């Protein structure tokens, strides 16, 4: 929903009724992951996508039905059947889609959720999608707040706890909790959409490659910071895609930051006076990726200097250097793609090989 938030705000301001269709679960080679959202307005306008085109038409019609009767619906779409007039996924996957009316009185907290997303405040939306509790009942869960109700106090308490756990991980998933009120008993399925702040992407070295890396990182959903000690290079004109520009010695700036397991660190300076003190500190952080640019000769010299500075072998094995995958690229932009490809592969445990030469699942 983050990628269509601006459009949803516009619809709200204009009083346009709309429904949201969101992928809740996937199996096999589904085209989109849980959390992918498509919005359908009563006037026929569509925002976003849930399957890259496979089932959009069917979900569009379902959303129109939901807008007409105001009742949320959970629907599963699987492998397409050539002999049937049913929508399906040609990729062979299966997706579960939750469609709900979302404008006006149907979701009064949506404005609050969009505000949190825009400002980078963590927020999760927990919606009932199965079990004895009413379909579509909702909780909006923040770091220390919870608004709404699902069915009974025990159910709410359990879901709030699970939602905060998922929010801390930045994970969207279906959870289960017991409902044991006098009128309803049984297990409730709750879809938790997590809107955690974008992960940080730290680029050190305001060189030409940094501009392309910053542009791609921003496109992939990161909050991008470019840092360089030289003010003549770290300018908004050179880095229009960066969320933050910092003119400081890189290691001093890193010292003041809180680096978590989702942070990416790219060191592009390939200058020992910047690289070594910065990497000494970076390799002590829990960052998910630490890469450094340079030739193999530069890399060997950098390792020697880091060892002399007391960095251990276990820490050095965390360093991706020379940075990026071997794509055979030559240009600044192609190098940036190679860097981002390595980061994506490490994030999802990808092989970096051509899919045509593997029998791995395709997502």
């Amino acid at each position: 929903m983050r990628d269509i938030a601006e459009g949803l705000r516009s619809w709200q301001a204009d009083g346009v009724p709309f429904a949201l269709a969101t992928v809740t679960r996937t199996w096999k080679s589904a085209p989109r992951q849980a959390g992918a959202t498509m919005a359908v307005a009563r006037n026929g306008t569509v925002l976003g996508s849930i399957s890259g085109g496979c089932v959009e038409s069917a979900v569009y019609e379902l959303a129109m039905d939901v807008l007409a009767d105001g009742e949320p619906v959970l629907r599963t779409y699987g492998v397409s059947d050539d002999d049937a007039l049913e929508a399906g996924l040609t990729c062979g996957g299966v997706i579960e889609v939750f469609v709900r009316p979302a404008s006006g009185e149907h979701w009064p907290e949506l404005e609050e959720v969009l505000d949190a997303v825009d400002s980078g405040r963590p927020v999760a939306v927990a919606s009932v999608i199965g079990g004895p509790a009413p379909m579509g009942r909702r909780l909006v869960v923040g770091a220390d707040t919870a608004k709404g109700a699902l069915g009974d106090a025990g159910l709410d308490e359990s879901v709030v706890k699970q939602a905060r756990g998922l929010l801390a991980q930045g994970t969207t998933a279906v959870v289960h909790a017991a409902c044991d009120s006098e009128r309803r008993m049984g297990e409730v399925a709750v879809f938790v959409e997590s809107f955690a702040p974008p992960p940080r992407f730290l680029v050190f070295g305001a060189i030409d490659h940094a501009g392309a890396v910053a542009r791609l990182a921003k496109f992939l959903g990161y909050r991008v910071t470019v840092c360089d000690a030289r003010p003549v290079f770290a300018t908004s004109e050179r880095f229009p895609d960066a969320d933050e520009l910092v003119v400081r010695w890189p290691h001093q700036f890193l010292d003041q930051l809180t680096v978590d397991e989702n942070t990416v660190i790219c060191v592009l300076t390939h200058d020992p006076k910047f690289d070594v003190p910065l990497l000494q500190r970076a390799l002590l952080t829990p960052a998910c990726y630490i890469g450094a640019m340079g030739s193999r000769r530069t890399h060997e010299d950098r390792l020697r200097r880091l060892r002399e500075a007391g960095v251990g072998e276990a820490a050095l094995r965390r360093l991706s250097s020379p940075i990026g995958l071997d794509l055979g690229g030559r240009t600044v932009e192609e190098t940036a793609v190679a860097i981002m490809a390595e980061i994506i592969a490490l994030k999802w445990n990808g092989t970096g090989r051509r899919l045509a030469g593997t029998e791995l699942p395709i997502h």
Side-chain angles (χ1 to χ4, degrees), residues 5-355:
E6 184 176 348
L8 296 182
R9 283 190 181 279
S10 177
W11 286 356
Q12 283 187 312
D14 294 340
V16 176
F18 62 90
L20 291 178
T22 303
V23 176
T24 57
R25 285 180 283 202
T26 68
W27 296 267
K28 300 181 181 179
S29 297
R32 299 289 302 275
Q33 297 300 306
T37 297
M38 181 175 82
V40 179
R42 182 170 289 167
N43 62 16
T45 308
V46 175
L47 297 173
S49 170
I50 57 170
S51 72
C54 298
V55 300
E56 260 78 356
S57 294
V59 174
Y60 175 89
E61 296 298 333
L62 182 59
M64 285 298 188
D65 292 341
V66 167
L67 282 169
D69 62 27
E71 296 297 324
V73 175
L74 187 71
R75 185 69 54 85
T76 299
Y77 297 91
V79 180
S80 62
D81 184 350
D82 293 336
D83 298 323
L85 297 177
E86 295 289 337
L89 300 176
T90 57
C91 61
V94 179
I95 63 173
E96 183 181 75
V97 181
F98 180 47
V99 185
R100 62 211 148 158
S103 53
E105 74 279 3
H106 293 291
W107 193 351
E109 311 96 340
L110 180 58
E111 186 76 26
E112 180 180 341
V113 172
L114 294 175
D115 286 343
V117 170
D118 287 347
S119 64
R121 300 194 312 275
V123 64
V125 179
S127 306
V128 173
I129 61 170
M135 174 81 78
R137 280 281 186 91
R138 195 170 45 248
L139 277 171
V140 177
V141 181
D144 52 12
T145 61
K147 294 183 179 180
L150 302 182
D152 64 69
L155 174 62
D156 291 352
E157 182 179 355
S158 175
V159 171
V160 166
K161 183 177 180 180
Q162 293 185 74
R164 286 185 177 141
L166 291 173
L167 189 56
Q169 302 170 36
T171 301
T172 288
V174 174
V175 301
H176 296 85
C179 179
D180 56 4
S181 69
E182 295 181 359
R183 291 172 295 175
R184 297 182 295 270
M185 296 187 66
E187 189 175 73
V188 177
V190 180
F191 174 54
V192 180
E193 298 171 88
S194 293
F195 301 101
R200 297 201 69 164
F201 196 107
L202 305 177
V203 181
F204 292 99
I207 64 173
D208 50 357
H209 290 84
V213 169
R215 186 159 58 252
L216 287 181
K218 183 71 174 178
F219 176 73
L220 291 174
Y222 290 92
R223 184 179 187 275
V224 180
T225 298
V226 176
C227 174
D228 197 295
R230 303 163 297 178
V232 68
F233 294 112
T235 65
S236 58
E237 290 78 15
R238 298 188 72 228
F239 299 97
D241 300 289
D243 296 288
E244 180 183 30
L245 286 170
V246 176
V247 179
R248 287 194 66 182
W249 276 79
H251 70 280
Q252 294 176 351
F253 176 59
L254 188 64
D255 281 343
Q256 74 178 37
L257 295 180
T258 299
V259 175
D260 62 21
E261 294 83 356
N262 296 315
T263 302
V264 170
I265 298 176
C266 281
V267 180
L268 307 182
T269 48
H270 50 85
D271 183 333
K273 68 176 177 291
F274 294 118
D275 292 359
V276 174
L278 172 60
L279 288 171
Q280 277 183 268
R281 291 158 172 80
L283 292 169
L284 295 175
T285 71
C288 62
Y289 177 88
I290 304 168
M293 177 173 278
S295 66
R296 298 190 187 281
R297 181 176 179 179
T298 298
H299 171 63
E300 292 302 323
D301 178 68
R302 183 188 291 130
L303 290 180
R304 177 183 62 80
R305 292 172 184 270
L306 288 170
R307 289 187 179 104
E308 290 174 354
V311 179
E313 295 303 316
L316 291 176
R317 284 193 291 271
R318 298 184 59 212
L319 179 60
S320 295
S321 176
I323 197 170
L325 296 184
D326 177 18
L327 303 183
R330 295 293 185 270
T331 68
V332 166
E333 290 76 15
E334 289 170 343
T335 301
V337 169
I339 293 171
M340 298 310 300
E342 181 180 34
I343 293 168
I344 293 169
L346 288 176
K347 176 181 179 180
W348 298 108
N349 295 316
T351 66
R353 295 165 55 195
R354 296 182 65 193
L355 287 172

